[in-house]
């Protein structure tokens, strides 16, 4: 196959120079063709990972919109790894030149590999691959980080993608197709980790109101001493005020009025409150499923229920079972 026709077939979004010019002789490189990029599970994997990263880095005002374009220079990987591992890496914050970006990315990957207990030779990613915006290498790294630091993250299982491996030989470009495995096959344990509210809204929507009613009763019992009450889970938690007060009551937190907006007057102030509430829940180990603060502010019922159920399951169900372990709502 000639280089030009193969290049046209791939239609890479970040194409740059022709493949024949950028691929040194004797080296191989993998590409994801357009048909593979449109695979629903491949797209879902990228979406879940981006939402996870954006949730983790929201307090730092960092937003990822494209995994190929936004991750290559090490800046976002630097912030993400520091947040996940609770470590401070001694690297320059802003790297402007290609040499400094490569140096920073190499240091971040070295630290990540140590944490993941992966030898550089065994890793399915490398500094060169990620810096060259290799989507497969970036996905392998992010999946490994998610498995290590957020094992409950509901990554789609058994994600496979057909790739084209190209090699430049003395006689020209050589290509072959193969299948790349990005996530493992589903197991019974994986199935048990599925988010209960995804299943509830999908398979038993008629039970949603019953769950809401049980949680409303629980919330009102706890807020009664403050002279507050809740009638609608869908709307009254959007500004974060009642959520923060509820967390304070249940977890024994004292929140100074300077830390949040008691009467938020703008979406930004509401977002500040909700973000603070989610951070408190994460610090207490109560959020096993990533929740976007924007979804709460936008009155997303499923996200609001996830957050409130994390409190409900710890306090109400523990009381009712007298210390026995409790599961998801029936």
């Amino acid at each position: 196959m000639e280089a030009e026709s193969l290049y046209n077939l791939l239609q890479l979004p970040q194409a740059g120079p022709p493949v024949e010019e950028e691929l040194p002789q004797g080296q191989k490189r993998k590409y994801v063709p357009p048909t593979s990029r449109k695979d629903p599970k491949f797209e879902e994997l990228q979406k879940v990972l981006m939402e996870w990263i954006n949730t983790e880095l929201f307090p730092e005002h960092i937003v990822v919109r494209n995994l190929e374009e936004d991750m290559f220079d090490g800046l976002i990987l630097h912030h993400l790894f520091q947040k996940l591992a609770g470590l401070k890496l001694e690297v320059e914050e802003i790297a402007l030149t290609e040499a400094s970006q490569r140096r920073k990315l190499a240091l971040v990957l070295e630290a990540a590999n140590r944490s993941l207990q992966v030898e550089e030779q065994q890793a399915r990613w490398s500094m060169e691959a990620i810096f060259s915006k290799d989507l497969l290498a970036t996905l392998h790294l992010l999946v490994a980080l998610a498995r290590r630091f957020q094992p409950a993250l509901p990554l789609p299982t058994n994600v496979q993608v057909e790739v084209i491996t190209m090699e430049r030989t003395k006689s020209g470009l050589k290509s072959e197709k193969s299948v790349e495995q990005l996530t493992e096959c589903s197991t019974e344990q994986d199935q048990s980790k599925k988010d209960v509210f995804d299943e509830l809204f999908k398979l038993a929507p008629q039970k949603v109101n019953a769950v809401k009613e049980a949680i409303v009763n629980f919330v009102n019992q706890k807020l009664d001493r403050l002279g507050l009450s809740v009638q609608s889970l869908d709307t009254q938690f959007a500004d974060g005020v009642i959520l923060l007060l509820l967390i304070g009551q249940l977890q024994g937190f004292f929140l100074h009025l300077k830390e949040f907006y008691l009467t938020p007057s703008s979406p930004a102030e509401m977002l500040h409150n909700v973000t603070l509430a989610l951070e408190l829940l994460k610090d207490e180990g109560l959020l096993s499923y990533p929740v976007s603060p924007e979804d709460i502010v936008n009155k997303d019922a499923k996200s609001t229920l996830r957050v409130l159920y994390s409190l409900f399951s710890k306090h109400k169900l523990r009381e009712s079972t007298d210390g026995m372990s409790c599961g998801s709502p029936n």
Side-chain angles (χ1 to χ4, degrees):
M1 181 180 292
E2 294 182 357
E4 184 177 356
S5 61
L6 180 57
Y7 176 72
N8 290 334
L9 170 65
L10 295 177
Q11 300 176 17
L12 295 175
Q14 296 77 32
V19 170
E20 189 173 13
E21 294 180 10
E22 69 176 19
L23 188 61
Q25 185 168 323
Q27 288 192 12
K28 295 181 180 181
R29 189 168 298 173
K30 292 179 180 179
Y31 295 93
V32 184
T35 52
S36 296
R37 287 174 177 268
K38 295 178 182 178
D39 180 89
K41 295 189 75 172
F42 185 65
E43 292 180 334
E44 182 189 358
L45 175 63
Q46 295 177 73
K47 180 175 181 290
V48 171
L49 288 170
M50 279 193 289
E51 289 180 349
W52 170 57
I53 295 170
N54 288 336
T55 300
E56 291 290 338
L57 298 183
F58 178 80
E60 301 179 50
H61 308 289
I62 293 176
V63 178
V64 174
R65 293 184 173 88
N66 184 294
L67 293 178
E68 282 174 297
E69 286 297 303
D70 296 345
M71 307 296 293
F72 80 97
D73 62 359
L75 175 64
I76 293 176
L77 282 174
H78 172 208
H79 284 267
L80 178 64
F81 180 71
Q82 284 194 150
K83 177 73 182 299
L84 296 175
L87 300 174
K88 176 67 175 177
L89 299 183
E90 295 300 326
V91 299
E92 49 192 313
E93 182 64 29
I94 304 296
L96 298 178
T97 66
E98 178 178 330
S100 60
Q101 289 173 348
R102 286 175 175 272
R103 184 168 57 250
K104 176 175 182 173
L105 179 59
L107 291 171
V108 173
L109 291 181
E110 182 182 335
N113 288 345
R114 282 198 303 269
S115 179
L116 295 169
Q117 298 182 342
V118 174
E119 296 291 335
E120 184 178 355
Q121 296 78 9
Q122 299 173 331
R124 303 179 74 178
W125 55 85
S126 67
M127 186 276 291
E128 287 294 338
I130 291 178
F131 192 80
S132 64
K133 302 179 183 180
D134 184 322
L135 179 58
L136 292 173
T138 303
L139 288 174
H140 279 304
L141 173 60
L142 293 176
V143 167
L145 289 172
R147 294 294 190 206
R148 167 69 176 82
F149 294 103
Q150 188 76 45
L153 187 69
L155 297 175
T157 58
N158 198 29
V159 177
Q160 298 176 323
V161 61
E162 186 179 84
V163 300
I164 297 176
T165 303
M166 294 182 56
E167 180 181 8
R168 187 182 181 190
T169 64
K170 293 181 179 180
S171 58
L173 286 175
K174 176 184 176 182
S175 67
E176 63 179 16
K177 291 183 178 180
S178 61
V179 175
E180 189 96 357
Q181 188 85 30
L182 291 166
T183 63
E184 300 88 352
C185 295
S186 172
T187 64
E188 290 184 8
Q189 184 178 6
D190 293 329
Q191 294 294 327
S192 67
K193 290 182 179 179
K194 282 189 175 180
D195 179 51
V196 64
F197 290 104
D198 282 337
E199 300 299 309
L200 182 67
F201 276 72
K202 180 180 177 181
L203 302 177
Q206 71 279 4
K207 294 183 179 180
V208 171
N209 286 335
V211 173
K212 286 183 178 180
E213 183 178 350
I215 294 180
V216 164
N217 291 336
F218 161 73
V219 169
N220 284 334
Q221 287 175 10
K222 303 305 177 183
L223 293 179
D224 182 63
R225 70 194 71 176
L226 299 179
L228 299 173
S229 65
V230 170
Q231 283 75 45
S232 172
L233 294 185
D234 297 343
T235 60
Q236 289 184 259
F237 288 89
D239 63 7
V241 175
I242 292 181
L243 181 56
L244 283 169
L245 296 174
L246 178 64
I247 293 172
Q249 286 289 304
L250 294 173
Q251 298 295 111
F253 292 145
F254 173 76
L255 293 175
H256 197 282
L257 291 178
K258 291 182 179 180
E259 296 182 34
F260 70 103
Y261 297 95
L262 189 59
T263 55
S265 58
S266 69
E269 293 180 354
M270 296 165 66
L271 202 56
H272 170 88
N273 286 351
V274 174
T275 302
L276 174 59
L278 296 183
E279 285 295 317
L280 291 173
L281 291 176
K282 287 173 64 178
D283 290 344
E284 293 295 302
L286 294 178
L287 274 186
S288 60
Y289 190 100
V291 175
S292 169
E294 293 98 330
D295 289 341
I296 304 294
V297 173
N298 292 331
K299 303 175 184 178
D300 180 77
K302 192 187 300 183
S303 297
T304 305
L305 276 176
R306 282 191 183 110
V307 171
L308 293 174
Y309 183 72
S310 68
L311 290 165
F312 178 87
S313 61
K314 177 179 179 180
H315 295 277
K316 180 63 177 179
L317 295 184
R318 180 177 295 175
E319 295 170 6
S320 63
T321 54
D322 193 27
M324 294 175 60
S325 61
C326 54
S328 302
N330 293 324

